[in-house]
Amino acid sequence: MTATAPTARRVLRPATGYRLAGSVRPLTFSPYDPCARIVAGAFWWATRTPQGPATLALRPSAGDLVAEGYGPGAGWVVERADAVAGLRDDLTGFADLAAAHPVVARLAREHRGLRMPATGLLFPRILRAVFEQKVTGKEAYRAYSATVRHFREPAPGPVPLLLPPEPAAIAATPYWVFHPFGVEQRRADTLRRAAAVADRLERCADAAEATRRLTAVPGIGAWTAAEVVRVAYGDPDAVSVGDYHVPNTVAWALAGEPRGDDARMLALLEPFRGHRGRVCVLLEAAGIQAPRYGPRAPIRSFARY
Protein backbone atom coordinates (compact mmCIF):
# COMPACT_ATOMS: atom_id res chain seq x y z
CA MET A 1 0.00 0.00 0.00
CA THR A 2 1.01 3.60 -0.61
CA ALA A 3 -0.25 6.85 0.90
CA THR A 4 -3.69 6.76 2.45
CA ALA A 5 -4.68 10.24 1.23
CA PRO A 6 -6.28 10.50 -2.23
CA THR A 7 -4.28 12.32 -4.87
CA ALA A 8 -7.27 13.11 -7.09
CA ARG A 9 -10.87 13.90 -6.24
CA ARG A 10 -14.07 14.69 -8.11
CA VAL A 11 -17.73 15.09 -7.17
CA LEU A 12 -20.28 13.39 -9.44
CA ARG A 13 -24.01 14.08 -9.49
CA PRO A 14 -25.98 10.97 -10.43
CA ALA A 15 -29.67 11.10 -11.27
CA THR A 16 -32.18 10.67 -8.49
CA GLY A 17 -32.60 7.02 -7.58
CA TYR A 18 -29.18 5.95 -8.84
CA ARG A 19 -28.03 2.67 -7.24
CA LEU A 20 -24.27 2.47 -6.75
CA ALA A 21 -24.01 -1.11 -5.46
CA GLY A 22 -26.20 -2.56 -8.20
CA SER A 23 -24.47 -0.58 -10.93
CA VAL A 24 -20.91 -1.55 -10.01
CA ARG A 25 -21.77 -5.16 -9.16
CA PRO A 26 -20.31 -6.43 -12.49
CA LEU A 27 -16.91 -5.12 -11.36
CA THR A 28 -16.80 -7.44 -8.35
CA PHE A 29 -16.56 -11.23 -8.53
CA SER A 30 -17.75 -11.78 -4.97
CA PRO A 31 -17.86 -9.93 -1.64
CA TYR A 32 -14.32 -11.23 -1.16
CA ASP A 33 -12.89 -10.12 -4.51
CA PRO A 34 -9.23 -9.22 -3.87
CA CYS A 35 -9.39 -6.39 -6.43
CA ALA A 36 -12.75 -4.75 -5.68
CA ARG A 37 -15.24 -4.59 -2.87
CA ILE A 38 -17.85 -2.47 -1.11
CA VAL A 39 -16.83 -1.26 2.34
CA ALA A 40 -19.23 0.77 4.51
CA GLY A 41 -21.28 1.74 1.45
CA ALA A 42 -18.28 2.87 -0.61
CA PHE A 43 -17.03 1.01 -3.68
CA TRP A 44 -13.27 0.37 -3.91
CA TRP A 45 -11.74 -0.78 -7.18
CA ALA A 46 -8.06 -1.52 -7.81
CA THR A 47 -6.74 -1.65 -11.35
CA ARG A 48 -3.86 -0.91 -13.68
CA THR A 49 -4.20 2.15 -15.87
CA PRO A 50 -2.11 3.57 -18.73
CA GLN A 51 -0.63 5.91 -16.09
CA GLY A 52 0.14 3.20 -13.52
CA PRO A 53 -1.55 1.34 -10.64
CA ALA A 54 -4.57 3.00 -9.06
CA THR A 55 -7.44 2.51 -6.67
CA LEU A 56 -10.74 4.30 -7.18
CA ALA A 57 -13.16 4.92 -4.32
CA LEU A 58 -16.77 5.87 -5.07
CA ARG A 59 -18.52 7.19 -1.98
CA PRO A 60 -22.18 8.34 -1.78
CA SER A 61 -22.54 11.67 -0.02
CA ALA A 62 -25.81 13.62 0.34
CA GLY A 63 -27.06 12.61 -3.10
CA ASP A 64 -23.67 13.11 -4.75
CA LEU A 65 -21.02 10.54 -5.54
CA VAL A 66 -17.51 11.44 -4.43
CA ALA A 67 -14.74 9.88 -6.53
CA GLU A 68 -11.28 9.62 -4.99
CA GLY A 69 -8.18 8.20 -6.62
CA TYR A 70 -5.01 6.77 -5.11
CA GLY A 71 -1.67 5.93 -6.67
CA PRO A 72 0.11 6.88 -9.92
CA GLY A 73 -3.05 6.27 -11.98
CA ALA A 74 -5.31 8.29 -9.67
CA GLY A 75 -5.94 11.01 -12.24
CA TRP A 76 -6.89 8.45 -14.88
CA VAL A 77 -9.45 6.60 -12.73
CA VAL A 78 -10.97 9.79 -11.34
CA GLU A 79 -11.29 11.29 -14.82
CA ARG A 80 -13.39 8.34 -15.94
CA ALA A 81 -15.03 7.68 -12.57
CA ASP A 82 -18.42 8.60 -14.02
CA ALA A 83 -18.04 5.87 -16.65
CA VAL A 84 -16.93 3.33 -14.04
CA ALA A 85 -19.99 4.23 -11.98
CA GLY A 86 -22.21 3.80 -15.04
CA LEU A 87 -23.11 7.49 -15.27
CA ARG A 88 -22.15 7.65 -18.96
CA ASP A 89 -24.57 4.80 -19.70
CA ASP A 90 -26.75 5.92 -22.61
CA LEU A 91 -30.37 4.80 -22.29
CA THR A 92 -31.50 6.64 -25.42
CA GLY A 93 -34.40 4.78 -27.01
CA PHE A 94 -34.63 2.10 -24.34
CA ALA A 95 -37.82 3.38 -22.72
CA ASP A 96 -39.75 3.01 -25.99
CA LEU A 97 -38.35 -0.48 -26.58
CA ALA A 98 -39.07 -1.57 -23.01
CA ALA A 99 -42.66 -0.34 -23.21
CA ALA A 100 -43.39 -2.96 -25.88
CA HIS A 101 -43.10 -5.84 -23.40
CA PRO A 102 -44.80 -5.81 -19.98
CA VAL A 103 -42.02 -7.70 -18.15
CA VAL A 104 -39.24 -5.53 -19.54
CA ALA A 105 -41.27 -2.38 -18.92
CA ARG A 106 -41.78 -3.40 -15.29
CA LEU A 107 -38.12 -4.24 -14.75
CA ALA A 108 -36.97 -1.00 -16.38
CA ARG A 109 -39.23 0.88 -13.99
CA GLU A 110 -38.27 -1.09 -10.86
CA HIS A 111 -34.54 -0.93 -11.64
CA ARG A 112 -34.38 2.55 -13.12
CA GLY A 113 -31.43 3.39 -10.85
CA LEU A 114 -29.31 0.62 -12.35
CA ARG A 115 -26.60 1.70 -14.80
CA MET A 116 -24.03 -0.22 -16.85
CA PRO A 117 -20.39 0.58 -16.00
CA ALA A 118 -17.65 1.07 -18.57
CA THR A 119 -14.13 0.65 -17.21
CA GLY A 120 -12.23 1.31 -20.45
CA LEU A 121 -9.95 -1.62 -19.56
CA LEU A 122 -10.16 -5.07 -21.18
CA PHE A 123 -7.58 -7.34 -19.61
CA PRO A 124 -8.92 -7.46 -16.02
CA ARG A 125 -12.24 -8.58 -17.45
CA ILE A 126 -10.58 -11.06 -19.81
CA LEU A 127 -8.89 -12.63 -16.80
CA ARG A 128 -12.21 -13.24 -15.10
CA ALA A 129 -14.16 -14.25 -18.21
CA VAL A 130 -11.65 -16.88 -19.33
CA PHE A 131 -11.71 -18.45 -15.88
CA GLU A 132 -15.52 -18.57 -16.06
CA GLN A 133 -15.54 -20.67 -19.22
CA LYS A 134 -17.29 -24.04 -18.78
CA VAL A 135 -17.15 -24.12 -14.98
CA THR A 136 -19.30 -23.14 -12.01
CA GLY A 137 -19.01 -19.75 -10.37
CA LYS A 138 -17.29 -21.25 -7.33
CA GLU A 139 -14.62 -22.88 -9.49
CA ALA A 140 -14.12 -19.71 -11.53
CA TYR A 141 -13.75 -17.54 -8.45
CA ARG A 142 -11.23 -19.93 -6.94
CA ALA A 143 -9.07 -19.74 -10.08
CA TYR A 144 -9.39 -15.95 -10.32
CA SER A 145 -8.66 -15.28 -6.66
CA ALA A 146 -5.74 -17.72 -6.53
CA THR A 147 -4.20 -16.19 -9.66
CA VAL A 148 -4.47 -12.63 -8.32
CA ARG A 149 -2.91 -13.73 -5.05
CA HIS A 150 -0.15 -15.67 -6.82
CA PHE A 151 0.99 -12.48 -8.56
CA ARG A 152 0.30 -10.52 -5.38
CA GLU A 153 0.89 -6.78 -5.77
CA PRO A 154 -0.74 -4.47 -3.22
CA ALA A 155 -2.91 -1.70 -4.62
CA PRO A 156 -2.45 1.92 -3.52
CA GLY A 157 -4.82 3.36 -0.95
CA PRO A 158 -6.09 2.65 2.57
CA VAL A 159 -8.15 -0.48 1.79
CA PRO A 160 -6.12 -3.71 1.49
CA LEU A 161 -6.74 -4.64 -2.15
CA LEU A 162 -4.55 -6.33 -4.75
CA LEU A 163 -3.92 -5.23 -8.33
CA PRO A 164 -4.91 -7.52 -11.17
CA PRO A 165 -1.84 -9.24 -12.64
CA GLU A 166 0.22 -7.58 -15.37
CA PRO A 167 -0.61 -9.13 -18.76
CA ALA A 168 3.12 -9.61 -19.44
CA ALA A 169 3.46 -11.65 -16.24
CA ILE A 170 0.53 -13.87 -17.21
CA ALA A 171 1.89 -14.35 -20.74
CA ALA A 172 5.26 -15.45 -19.39
CA THR A 173 3.85 -17.94 -16.87
CA PRO A 174 3.87 -21.66 -17.83
CA TYR A 175 0.41 -23.20 -17.97
CA TRP A 176 1.22 -25.68 -15.20
CA VAL A 177 1.47 -22.85 -12.67
CA PHE A 178 -2.31 -22.42 -13.02
CA HIS A 179 -3.07 -26.11 -12.51
CA PRO A 180 -3.18 -25.96 -8.67
CA PHE A 181 -5.76 -23.19 -9.05
CA GLY A 182 -8.13 -25.58 -10.84
CA VAL A 183 -7.30 -24.27 -14.33
CA GLU A 184 -6.68 -26.84 -17.03
CA GLN A 185 -4.27 -26.27 -19.90
CA ARG A 186 -6.94 -25.12 -22.37
CA ARG A 187 -8.06 -22.12 -20.29
CA ALA A 188 -4.52 -21.36 -19.13
CA ASP A 189 -3.29 -21.24 -22.71
CA THR A 190 -6.25 -19.10 -23.77
CA LEU A 191 -5.46 -16.61 -21.01
CA ARG A 192 -1.76 -16.56 -21.88
CA ARG A 193 -2.53 -15.94 -25.58
CA ALA A 194 -4.85 -13.05 -24.69
CA ALA A 195 -2.24 -11.63 -22.32
CA ALA A 196 0.38 -11.71 -25.08
CA VAL A 197 -1.75 -9.39 -27.24
CA ALA A 198 -3.23 -7.32 -24.39
CA ASP A 199 -1.62 -4.10 -25.61
CA ARG A 200 -3.36 -4.38 -28.99
CA LEU A 201 -6.65 -5.32 -27.36
CA GLU A 202 -6.53 -2.30 -25.03
CA ARG A 203 -6.14 0.00 -28.05
CA CYS A 204 -9.45 -1.06 -29.62
CA ALA A 205 -11.62 1.92 -30.44
CA ASP A 206 -14.97 0.37 -29.55
CA ALA A 207 -16.81 -2.80 -28.61
CA ALA A 208 -17.15 -3.97 -32.21
CA GLU A 209 -13.41 -3.80 -32.86
CA ALA A 210 -12.68 -5.42 -29.50
CA THR A 211 -15.08 -8.26 -30.26
CA ARG A 212 -13.37 -8.92 -33.59
CA ARG A 213 -9.92 -8.94 -32.04
CA LEU A 214 -10.96 -10.98 -29.02
CA THR A 215 -12.63 -13.70 -31.07
CA ALA A 216 -9.49 -13.95 -33.22
CA VAL A 217 -7.67 -15.26 -30.13
CA PRO A 218 -7.94 -19.08 -30.08
CA GLY A 219 -10.10 -20.13 -27.14
CA ILE A 220 -12.14 -16.91 -27.04
CA GLY A 221 -15.59 -17.03 -28.56
CA ALA A 222 -18.80 -15.03 -28.55
CA TRP A 223 -19.61 -15.62 -24.87
CA THR A 224 -16.24 -14.46 -23.55
CA ALA A 225 -16.12 -11.45 -25.88
CA ALA A 226 -19.59 -10.33 -24.79
CA GLU A 227 -18.68 -10.67 -21.11
CA VAL A 228 -15.64 -8.47 -21.73
CA VAL A 229 -17.10 -5.69 -23.87
CA ARG A 230 -20.25 -5.34 -21.78
CA VAL A 231 -18.07 -4.17 -18.87
CA ALA A 232 -15.05 -2.64 -20.62
CA TYR A 233 -17.19 -0.52 -22.98
CA GLY A 234 -20.54 -0.59 -21.21
CA ASP A 235 -21.98 -2.18 -24.36
CA PRO A 236 -25.75 -2.41 -23.74
CA ASP A 237 -26.27 -4.75 -26.70
CA ALA A 238 -23.70 -7.43 -25.78
CA VAL A 239 -25.43 -10.81 -25.37
CA SER A 240 -23.58 -13.77 -23.87
CA VAL A 241 -24.37 -16.36 -26.53
CA GLY A 242 -23.39 -19.82 -25.33
CA ASP A 243 -24.41 -19.43 -21.69
CA TYR A 244 -25.96 -22.42 -19.92
CA HIS A 245 -28.68 -20.45 -18.11
CA VAL A 246 -29.33 -17.17 -19.94
CA PRO A 247 -31.30 -18.60 -22.92
CA ASN A 248 -33.66 -20.35 -20.50
CA THR A 249 -34.04 -17.19 -18.42
CA VAL A 250 -34.85 -15.07 -21.46
CA ALA A 251 -37.30 -17.65 -22.86
CA TRP A 252 -39.08 -17.93 -19.52
CA ALA A 253 -39.23 -14.19 -18.79
CA LEU A 254 -40.21 -12.99 -22.25
CA ALA A 255 -42.29 -15.91 -23.59
CA GLY A 256 -43.21 -18.09 -20.63
CA GLU A 257 -41.20 -20.95 -22.11
CA PRO A 258 -39.20 -22.95 -19.53
CA ARG A 259 -36.41 -23.79 -21.98
CA GLY A 260 -34.74 -21.98 -24.86
CA ASP A 261 -31.61 -22.22 -26.97
CA ASP A 262 -29.40 -19.43 -28.28
CA ALA A 263 -31.48 -19.00 -31.43
CA ARG A 264 -34.68 -18.61 -29.45
CA MET A 265 -33.02 -16.21 -27.03
CA LEU A 266 -31.76 -13.99 -29.84
CA ALA A 267 -35.17 -14.02 -31.53
CA LEU A 268 -36.88 -12.91 -28.33
CA LEU A 269 -34.28 -10.21 -27.72
CA GLU A 270 -34.34 -8.89 -31.29
CA PRO A 271 -37.07 -6.27 -30.58
CA PHE A 272 -34.65 -4.74 -28.07
CA ARG A 273 -31.69 -4.53 -30.44
CA GLY A 274 -29.29 -1.90 -29.22
CA HIS A 275 -30.18 -2.81 -25.64
CA ARG A 276 -30.34 -6.62 -25.73
CA GLY A 277 -27.60 -6.97 -23.13
CA ARG A 278 -29.38 -4.44 -20.93
CA VAL A 279 -32.48 -6.63 -20.93
CA CYS A 280 -30.35 -9.56 -19.75
CA VAL A 281 -28.85 -7.39 -17.03
CA LEU A 282 -32.34 -6.44 -15.83
CA LEU A 283 -33.45 -10.07 -15.76
CA GLU A 284 -30.41 -10.96 -13.66
CA ALA A 285 -30.96 -8.00 -11.33
CA ALA A 286 -34.55 -9.15 -10.78
CA GLY A 287 -33.39 -12.67 -9.95
CA ILE A 288 -35.57 -14.22 -12.66
CA GLN A 289 -34.76 -17.87 -13.35
CA ALA A 290 -36.48 -20.49 -15.48
CA PRO A 291 -38.02 -23.47 -13.64
CA ARG A 292 -35.54 -26.21 -12.83
CA TYR A 293 -36.18 -29.77 -13.88
CA GLY A 294 -34.30 -32.74 -12.48
CA PRO A 295 -31.12 -32.34 -10.37
CA ARG A 296 -30.29 -28.81 -9.36
CA ALA A 297 -27.77 -27.29 -11.79
CA PRO A 298 -24.96 -25.10 -10.46
CA ILE A 299 -25.77 -21.42 -10.85
CA ARG A 300 -23.51 -19.52 -13.21
CA SER A 301 -22.60 -19.70 -16.79
CA PHE A 302 -21.22 -23.06 -17.88
CA ALA A 303 -20.49 -21.04 -21.00
CA ARG A 304 -18.89 -22.61 -24.05
CA TYR A 305 -16.23 -19.95 -24.53
Side-chain angles (χ1 to χ4, degrees):
M1 273 187 304
T2 57
T4 58
T7 55
R9 191 174 185 274
R10 179 183 176 194
V11 177
L12 308 173
R13 292 180 169 78
T16 302
Y18 167 76
R19 290 165 45 194
L20 173 63
S23 297
V24 300
R25 181 175 174 270
L27 306 185
T28 64
F29 207 151
S30 87
Y32 313 102
D33 190 326
C35 300
R37 65 187 59 170
I38 294 177
V39 180
F43 173 64
W44 294 81
W45 177 61
T47 192
R48 297 183 186 275
T49 79
Q51 297 174 3
T55 297
L56 173 67
L58 294 172
R59 199 188 315 271
S61 176
D64 292 336
L65 193 61
V66 178
E68 296 175 334
Y70 301 79
W76 193 94
V77 291
V78 167
E79 181 181 357
R80 63 176 303 111
D82 56 337
V84 174
L87 302 184
R88 296 186 194 177
D89 185 17
D90 186 1
L91 279 79
T92 301
F94 181 61
D96 290 339
L97 297 178
H101 194 288
V103 171
V104 179
R106 175 176 61 83
L107 295 182
R109 183 173 61 253
E110 292 176 354
H111 298 277
R112 60 184 177 276
L114 198 64
R115 294 293 182 268
M116 296 180 67
T119 65
L121 299 168
L122 274 76
F123 190 73
R125 188 63 181 184
I126 292 170
L127 177 73
R128 172 175 163 176
V130 169
F131 285 150
E132 288 180 296
Q133 294 176 352
K134 292 188 176 182
V135 298
T136 65
K138 183 177 181 179
E139 293 168 314
Y141 177 73
R142 176 195 169 202
Y144 164 81
S145 178
T147 298
V148 172
R149 297 181 193 283
H150 174 79
F151 293 97
R152 178 179 297 272
E153 184 176 344
V159 173
L161 296 175
L162 298 177
L163 293 165
E166 286 272 18
I170 293 282
T173 300
Y175 79 87
W176 47 260
V177 170
F178 299 95
H179 183 74
F181 310 153
V183 182
E184 79 291 344
Q185 184 172 355
R186 184 193 63 80
R187 281 184 297 155
D189 286 348
T190 295
L191 181 60
R192 292 167 66 240
R193 284 190 291 262
V197 296
D199 285 347
R200 282 195 296 144
L201 293 173
E202 296 289 2
R203 291 197 296 269
C204 291
D206 53 29
E209 182 184 355
T211 297
R212 289 193 300 271
R213 291 196 176 190
L214 281 165
T215 52
V217 176
I220 292 184
W223 184 90
T224 305
E227 291 289 305
V228 172
V229 301
R230 187 165 52 249
V231 170
Y233 294 93
D235 184 353
D237 202 45
V239 180
S240 299
V241 173
D243 196 277
Y244 185 86
H245 294 289
V246 174
N248 295 336
T249 299
V250 171
W252 176 247
L254 301 188
E257 301 166 3
R259 291 293 177 268
D261 56 15
D262 285 333
R264 181 58 173 153
M265 173 182 69
L266 292 174
L268 290 168
L269 290 174
E270 182 57 31
F272 307 100
R273 179 169 286 278
H275 294 275
R276 295 176 300 172
R278 188 185 306 280
V279 172
C280 295
V281 168
L282 289 173
L283 296 178
E284 181 180 6
I288 294 175
Q289 296 181 20
R292 296 184 180 278
Y293 298 138
R296 184 174 178 85
I299 296 176
R300 196 52 184 122
S301 66
F302 268 116
R304 290 199 289 268
Y305 61 91

